[in-house]
Amino acid sequence: MEPLLDGTILVPNPLPAFAARRRLLHVNGVSSDRAKQQRDLNRLAELTAAHPLEIRGIHNQTHGLQADLLESLLGKAELYHFWPTVENNDRAGDRRRAYAKLLEQLITKELGDDADMLAIAQPKEVQHRPLTPETPAAISSLLALPFLQRLGWSDFAQYLYGVFPAGAPRPTLRLAYEIVKGLQAGAELYLVAHSQGLIITALACHIVRELLLPQTKWMETVHIIGYGPVILFADLPVELQGRTIFLQHRQDVVAETLSNLRNLDVWTNLQTQLQKALHYADDLLQTVHTDSHHTASFYLGLSPEAASQRSAQLLQILLTQNWTATPSLAALCGSRLILEH
């Protein structure tokens, strides 16, 4: 059996010396295995060598691109229901508070880097990762069940994920845990994520915000950097939207398509919506394989293209310079920077 990697911690190899009060938490995106995230962490260590941070990678385990895309769609649906303008927001608030209670239990423990977050958070309701390579076929068969027609989003999420966050629950809870532990250590936090990793990051930030309310000053020590972003600023807690910068290539079709997915509250007919999601995932499967502009390696400067090198230079600046003390960086906060050729 493949060892559980979902939500476990990876670090750069070799491990560089770092400043204890600056911490980078990285979440990988779709179709990224352990080797790819290890490469990305090593590259981030190279880019920040002059001003090193403690770098910890939260691994978002892939089970195939189609399953990852379905996870992304479900995670985005969860995020959409956290928007204050969405109807029935009380139900979403109930789910968010339930996740915060799980996190409250977790942060009382010193967890190993390979801890299974779900088993520790709720041992009586341990669920394996809901989406697997067989998920599309499994969901297709579920669509025939008459009771699904009567479920709204909250009930559907409860059915599929139980007490855990929708999308990718293990890395979501692990990142939320790492954020709180970083805050407790007095660290300045850089949340760096690619593709689906930004969905996980946004969900984790909502959970931490819910746990720490009414305190919000902690968010002044958090910076979010997303490359190949698949979320909107509105998906983040409002206090963090102005502390976030996205990097996106103009020809990154996947980021453009998934970022603009909204109105994911239309779950009144789940059969139709999920069938569309499965078809959509199949279409994007072909797109991602040919879209080099969405890959993490492109944004991290591992491609010879000029835009790839500029992206890496921007990331280096964002990770090594003080955003508040540098007017040009302060002006970029809350912006989606579009890379050209």
Side-chain angles (χ1 to χ4, degrees):
M1 179 180 293
E2 182 183 8
L4 177 67
L5 300 175
D6 212 21
T8 58
I9 297 296
L10 302 177
V11 296
N13 184 21
L15 187 65
F18 54 81
R21 290 302 181 92
R22 299 179 70 238
R23 188 173 298 182
L24 188 160
L25 302 176
H26 176 267
V27 189
N28 55 310
V30 296
S31 199
S32 175
D33 59 18
R34 184 188 183 104
K36 287 182 179 178
Q37 189 179 24
Q38 187 68 63
R39 174 206 64 194
D40 296 349
L41 295 173
N42 293 346
R43 177 59 172 161
L44 288 167
E46 291 175 5
L47 292 174
T48 58
H51 301 277
L53 311 86
E54 180 181 6
I55 298 176
R56 292 173 66 78
I58 292 85
H59 188 59
N60 169 35
Q61 187 173 4
T62 182
H63 287 265
L65 184 56
Q66 193 172 44
D68 292 351
L69 289 171
L70 281 167
E71 270 191 350
S72 298
L73 290 167
L74 291 166
K76 280 185 68 69
E78 181 94 285
L79 283 174
Y80 183 77
H81 285 80
F82 290 165
W83 288 24
T85 55
V86 173
E87 293 183 12
N88 299 319
N89 195 255
D90 289 344
R91 293 289 303 276
D94 290 343
R95 289 186 62 80
R96 196 166 53 234
R97 283 186 286 275
Y99 305 153
K101 287 187 178 297
L102 292 180
L103 179 59
E104 188 174 28
Q105 299 172 33
L106 291 169
I107 61 173
T108 63
K109 310 175 189 299
E110 292 299 324
L111 301 180
D113 288 350
D114 59 351
D116 182 345
M117 304 303 287
L118 303 193
I120 295 170
Q122 198 63 262
K124 293 182 179 179
E125 296 191 38
V126 174
Q127 297 181 7
H128 296 293
R129 186 184 181 100
L131 298 179
T132 68
E134 293 76 33
T135 294
I139 289 185
S140 294
S141 63
L142 283 174
L143 296 180
L145 298 176
F147 78 91
L148 282 184
Q149 298 295 321
R150 299 189 294 272
L151 295 184
W153 164 253
S154 293
D155 292 327
F156 176 73
Q158 177 71 27
Y159 176 76
L160 188 58
Y161 289 95
V163 298
F164 302 119
R170 284 188 173 94
T172 298
L173 286 174
R174 183 77 209 207
L175 177 58
Y177 172 88
E178 293 291 330
I179 291 171
V180 174
K181 289 297 182 179
L183 294 172
Q184 290 175 341
E188 183 178 12
L189 297 179
Y190 290 80
L191 310 183
V192 181
H194 172 240
S195 187
Q196 183 195 6
L198 273 164
I199 298 172
I200 293 167
T201 298
L203 285 169
C205 287
H206 277 289
I207 296 170
V208 174
R209 180 185 184 277
E210 188 68 36
L211 175 67
L212 299 181
L213 280 174
Q215 299 298 323
T216 58
K217 193 172 179 60
W218 62 271
M219 288 186 259
E220 296 176 8
T221 66
V222 174
H223 315 270
I224 300 176
I225 302 170
Y227 49 97
V230 296
I231 65 171
L232 299 169
F233 282 96
D235 290 320
L236 292 162
V238 64
E239 299 92 342
L240 287 174
Q241 293 172 19
R243 303 194 62 79
T244 299
I245 296 175
F246 292 154
L247 298 182
Q248 180 180 330
H249 192 276
R250 188 172 296 281
Q251 294 182 9
D252 186 341
V253 178
V254 176
E256 185 68 19
T257 303
L258 286 177
S259 292
N260 290 322
L261 269 182
R262 62 191 79 189
N263 297 328
L264 292 173
D265 59 331
V266 190
W267 291 88
T268 51
N269 187 332
L270 281 175
Q271 185 174 31
T272 300
Q273 291 299 315
L274 285 175
Q275 284 174 338
K276 287 181 179 178
L278 289 171
H279 175 72
Y280 183 71
D282 189 55
D283 289 345
L284 275 185
L285 179 66
Q286 304 303 319
T287 304
V288 172
H289 282 319
T290 59
D291 186 9
S292 62
H293 294 104
H294 186 64
T295 61
S297 59
F298 173 84
Y299 284 103
L300 291 171
L302 297 175
S303 166
E305 294 181 53
S308 174
Q309 298 304 307
R310 285 197 300 274
S311 174
Q313 291 167 2
L314 279 169
L315 286 172
Q316 186 174 46
I317 291 169
L318 294 174
L319 290 170
T320 58
Q321 295 190 18
N322 187 307
W323 290 21
T324 304
T326 309
S328 58
L329 292 185
L332 295 178
C333 291
S335 299
R336 185 183 297 256
L337 307 182
I338 303 299
L339 299 166
E340 303 279 0
H341 284 298

